[in-house]
Amino acid sequence: VPFLKEANDFTGRRHEVLSVLNQLRTAFKNGTSNYLLISGPAGIGKSYLSSYVASFFKTKLKPKKILLITYRFKPNHLLGWSFSDFLKNIYEMLIVQIKNLDNNSIYEQNDFKFNGNDNNDIKAIRNLINSLSELSYKILFIIDGIDELVKYGTKFNSECIKSLSSHSTIWLFTGRMEPEVKQFAEQLSCIEIFKHGLDKMSENDIRKMILHKIDIIRPLREMLIKLDSEQINENESPELVKNLFVSKV
């Protein structure tokens, strides 16, 4: 799962994480806005940040009355991506979460038909959301790659998101601030969490990230050196083999 893997690799950005969590807390508590946006240039760390927030939300905060739905647009989706795929993904994740609830009467007592017709499928998802809302559940959608979705998904627009929204839903989008995203955000009155976009990592955070990576590869490095040492010829120097490996690393 990309979100989980990136969350495990995430280091630093304490201030940014707190900013996102505080904004989400405010949104759920006061209902100030149902739509939030993390923007920034490619490679700045938007996906890693949203992955960590999703993981932290699910594994640390563990809110009993808030369900988490995540979706990421990948470049290879262009070969076969469709709006119907997006709806199906959202629908299936909602069903899985509902089945895991202590009270899964929502699933047992309702017949939510999903048949590949966009209008009907939006209605099916909306019915699920409304049923959850009646039981005081809220839903946090984290959608990564919004710039690609609004650019290539002709049916993916502010109106479709509004049709899937209610007072019990919060949407967190991440993506580059392309013209299409700017228009999309304005139509939804999105709150941009970082006014000038997500900034680059600080030198201290970069140092933490490097040390984190070193900690990950250190056991592998030591294992490979040990294997090399055990396989050398009696006439060869163990130190020579070690140095050869270290130089390559």
Side-chain angles (χ1 to χ4, degrees):
V1 181
F3 269 79
L4 181 59
K5 181 181 182 301
E6 291 180 357
N8 291 334
D9 291 340
F10 186 86
T11 56
R13 288 201 182 276
R14 176 179 171 80
H15 172 73
E16 289 87 345
V17 170
L18 289 176
S19 294
V20 177
L21 291 176
N22 286 335
Q23 193 67 64
L24 286 172
R25 186 181 295 110
T26 300
F28 276 117
K29 184 177 180 180
N30 302 331
T32 52
S33 176
N34 290 62
Y35 310 105
L36 307 171
L37 173 66
I38 298 174
S39 66
I44 200 70
K46 303 180 298 297
S47 294
Y48 273 85
L49 177 58
S50 63
S51 295
Y52 182 78
V53 168
S55 176
F56 186 86
F57 196 90
K58 193 172 184 65
T59 62
K60 301 292 178 61
L61 295 181
K62 299 180 180 179
K64 293 182 178 180
K65 285 289 188 176
I66 301 178
L67 305 184
L68 175 65
I69 304 296
T70 60
Y71 182 86
R72 168 171 297 164
F73 182 93
K74 296 180 180 179
N76 60 359
H77 282 185
L78 291 176
L79 300 177
W81 185 89
S82 70
F83 183 60
S84 295
D85 292 335
F86 170 78
L87 293 177
K88 183 179 180 181
N89 194 285
I90 295 297
Y91 175 83
E92 290 178 347
M93 284 190 287
L94 276 171
I95 290 295
V96 169
Q97 298 242 24
I98 288 172
K99 286 183 177 180
N100 290 331
L101 297 178
D102 293 334
N103 178 1
N104 60 5
S105 59
I106 297 175
Y107 181 74
E108 294 174 348
Q109 298 176 7
N110 293 277
D111 185 20
F112 301 103
K113 298 294 186 181
F114 193 91
N115 57 18
N117 177 287
D118 291 346
N119 290 331
N120 288 338
D121 295 344
I122 287 175
K123 184 178 179 180
I125 294 172
R126 183 59 188 258
N127 286 340
L128 285 176
I129 292 172
N130 289 339
S131 295
L132 285 165
S133 179
E134 289 174 3
L135 294 177
S136 300
Y137 281 95
K138 295 180 181 294
I139 307 169
L140 170 60
F141 294 94
I142 298 183
I143 311 297
D144 185 33
I146 190 66
D147 48 312
E148 304 289 353
L149 284 167
V150 298
K151 186 174 182 179
Y152 297 106
T154 54
K155 294 183 180 180
F156 189 98
N157 51 46
S158 59
E159 291 305 313
C160 99
I161 294 299
K162 287 179 181 178
S163 68
L164 296 173
S165 301
S166 75
H167 67 278
S168 62
T169 59
I170 300 294
W171 296 77
L172 173 61
F173 306 104
T174 70
R176 302 187 301 272
M177 186 53 89
E178 304 286 356
E180 296 88 352
V181 174
K182 184 176 181 181
Q183 182 182 24
F184 174 85
E186 289 175 349
Q187 290 171 345
L188 291 176
S189 298
C190 280
I191 291 179
E192 192 167 2
I193 298 178
F194 306 102
K195 297 298 182 183
H196 303 290
L198 183 63
D199 202 359
K200 62 182 181 181
M201 293 180 71
S202 67
E203 291 183 4
N204 189 45
D205 281 348
I206 293 174
R207 182 175 182 276
K208 289 180 182 178
M209 180 181 67
I210 293 173
L211 291 175
H212 176 68
K213 296 293 184 183
I214 290 174
D215 287 339
I216 292 175
I217 68 170
R218 182 178 287 118
L220 175 62
R221 175 182 178 277
E222 292 175 351
M223 181 188 71
L224 291 174
I225 290 176
K226 182 180 179 181
L227 289 174
D228 281 349
S229 299
E230 292 173 351
Q231 293 174 7
I232 62 170
N233 213 298
E234 290 182 358
N235 297 325
E236 292 177 321
S237 166
E239 191 61 35
L240 175 59
V241 177
K242 290 182 182 180
N243 288 338
L244 283 174
F245 174 73
V246 171
S247 66
K248 292 179 182 179
V249 174

